[in-house]
Amino acid sequence: MDACKGRFAPSPTGRMHLGNIFTALISWLDAKSRGGTWLLRIEDLDTQRSRYEYARLIEDDLSWLGLEWDEGGLDDTGDAAPYSQSRRSGIYAGCLSRLEATGFTYPCRCTRAGIMAARAPHQRDGRVIYGGTCRPGILPCHAPRPDYPHAVRLYVPDTDIVFTDCLRGRQHFNLARECGDFILRRADGAWAYQLAVVVDDALMGVTRVVRGCDLLLSAAQQIYLYGLLGFRAPEFAHVPLLCNGAGQRLSKRDGALDMESLRRTHTPGQLVGRLAFMAGLTVSPEPCSPSDLVPLFSPECAGVLAADSIQVG
Ligand code: GLU
């Protein structure tokens, strides 16, 4: 059996908040309680919003909490370096070529505005489903790459992708209905999250992906990509999102719950104790360290972790 390797893959677009460190703690405990290792990857593909300074603060906040990583981070500790996505372009390009060779990718000239105007069906949560304007009539398609700027899209089948989430049980998603053909590389050359995350988790040897349940549909897209690339998919566990008093997902606007404020009002032990109590791992929010929680933890032990959201009072 492969050694367990978990990971935390934050985007350095702001200071972490309670929701981010909740996910980080659960992912760390999940790996450590299986005798595994934990990797830190910096997901800085969005060059407009990502800042080195935020990545440094993420590392500082994790260390302050006692959530040390065994591999990755800004100093690129480990064999799968680099661990910042902005420096992995050549690796993504190689994997994109492999996908193009399958004949299930195609060039797309549609703009987001154009897709909206074409009245492609929209989901209530604002997701835009691609209507297939640029999709070739016959697939697989091996036409040469055009020389005009274009995105690269991946054809998705009209069948269910089925998988078992370690917390939420059996899941099935029809990608054609839920998201449509999705982008692998944007027209401006930026790599899409779905491609980068699959390539990175596979090449970094990640076996357990613990992250927020807003990414449940992404897991189905990613499992489809794992198959096309011939990689083995990791196990997935999607944890609840933290919500504010108004029932909205925590965001940078909830200032009192960002790490700058939390570090002023808590010791590391108090904050870890509060998170453990929220996760249903302890019966009271007594201060503790992440290592104290390892013997108490199994993701399935806390029913709380199977909920879609947890309200932060
Ligand atoms: N970078 C993503 C985020 O910060 C997480 C992606 C993942 O865990 O797969 O939301």
Side-chain angles (χ1 to χ4, degrees):
M1 208 176 78
D2 289 346
C4 167
K5 192 188 279 190
R7 51 71 149 181
F8 184 51
S11 302
T13 55
R15 192 80 186 251
M16 289 197 293
H17 55 63
L18 198 66
N20 304 122
I21 60 169
F22 178 77
T23 305
L25 175 66
I26 303 301
S27 165
W28 187 91
L29 287 172
D30 181 75
K32 297 294 162 174
S33 64
R34 287 159 197 274
T37 55
W38 197 60
L39 174 158
L40 175 62
R41 182 172 65 238
I42 308 296
E43 298 214 323
D44 55 354
L45 284 179
D46 181 344
T47 50
Q48 305 279 311
R49 293 170 59 226
S50 299
R51 300 267 179 282
Y52 179 79
E53 189 53 26
Y54 287 133
R56 258 185 21 81
L57 284 167
I58 288 170
E59 291 200 339
D60 191 61
D61 288 337
L62 292 174
S63 297
W64 182 84
L65 285 162
L67 297 176
E68 291 298 342
W69 52 100
D70 308 286
E71 183 181 337
L74 288 169
D75 67 2
D76 279 335
T77 308
D79 296 339
Y83 290 91
S84 296
Q85 290 188 324
S86 58
R87 289 185 291 124
R88 295 178 62 80
S89 237
I91 300 171
Y92 305 141
C95 287
L96 179 65
S97 300
R98 281 168 54 195
L99 290 168
E100 286 176 325
T102 65
F104 288 101
T105 65
Y106 58 88
C108 175
R109 297 183 87 162
C110 297
T111 58
R112 192 177 162 86
I115 295 169
M116 306 283 274
R119 295 181 163 269
H122 295 80
Q123 296 294 101
R124 251 173 299 139
D125 60 8
R127 259 186 288 135
V128 178
I129 298 167
Y130 184 58
T133 311
C134 291
R135 181 193 263 201
I138 299 172
L139 281 156
C141 153
H142 290 284
R145 272 190 200 174
D147 54 9
Y148 53 77
H150 60 275
V152 179
R153 259 184 212 277
L154 179 66
Y155 159 87
V156 299
D158 187 11
T159 52
D160 276 5
I161 303 281
V162 181
F163 65 100
T164 301
D165 181 272
C166 300
L167 290 167
R168 281 150 213 285
R170 199 172 159 81
Q171 306 290 318
H172 45 92
F173 290 98
N174 177 305
L175 295 183
R177 252 181 279 139
E178 298 280 349
C179 63
D181 297 350
F182 60 88
I183 287 196
L184 300 174
R185 203 199 59 210
R186 291 198 332 218
D188 64 3
W191 297 103
Y193 157 71
Q194 304 294 0
L195 176 68
V197 79
V198 166
V199 170
D200 290 348
D201 281 335
L203 298 184
M204 293 176 184
V206 169
T207 62
R208 300 267 303 179
V209 169
V210 177
R211 60 185 179 191
C213 66
D214 53 327
L215 291 169
L216 202 53
L217 167 61
S218 287
Q221 294 170 261
Q222 290 163 19
I223 286 167
Y224 175 53
L225 270 174
Y226 276 102
L228 290 177
L229 283 164
F231 292 140
R232 179 150 135 215
E235 293 177 310
F236 291 96
H238 289 87
V239 301
L241 302 179
L242 301 196
C243 292
N244 63 21
Q248 296 148 340
R249 182 179 172 182
L250 289 190
S251 74
K252 310 229 154 66
R253 286 187 299 278
D254 298 290
L257 297 174
D258 83 14
M259 280 303 279
E260 191 186 335
S261 315
L262 291 168
R263 283 176 66 160
R264 273 200 302 266
T265 50
H266 296 70
T267 63
Q270 285 170 335
L271 192 48
V272 171
R274 182 175 168 191
L275 293 169
F277 179 60
M278 277 168 34
L281 300 175
T282 50
V283 289
S284 66
E286 292 304 311
C288 61
S289 72
S291 321
D292 295 335
L293 297 169
V294 172
L296 306 180
F297 185 81
S298 100
E300 298 81 6
C301 73
V304 178
L305 292 180
D308 288 342
S309 63
I310 295 176
Q311 191 155 330
V312 181

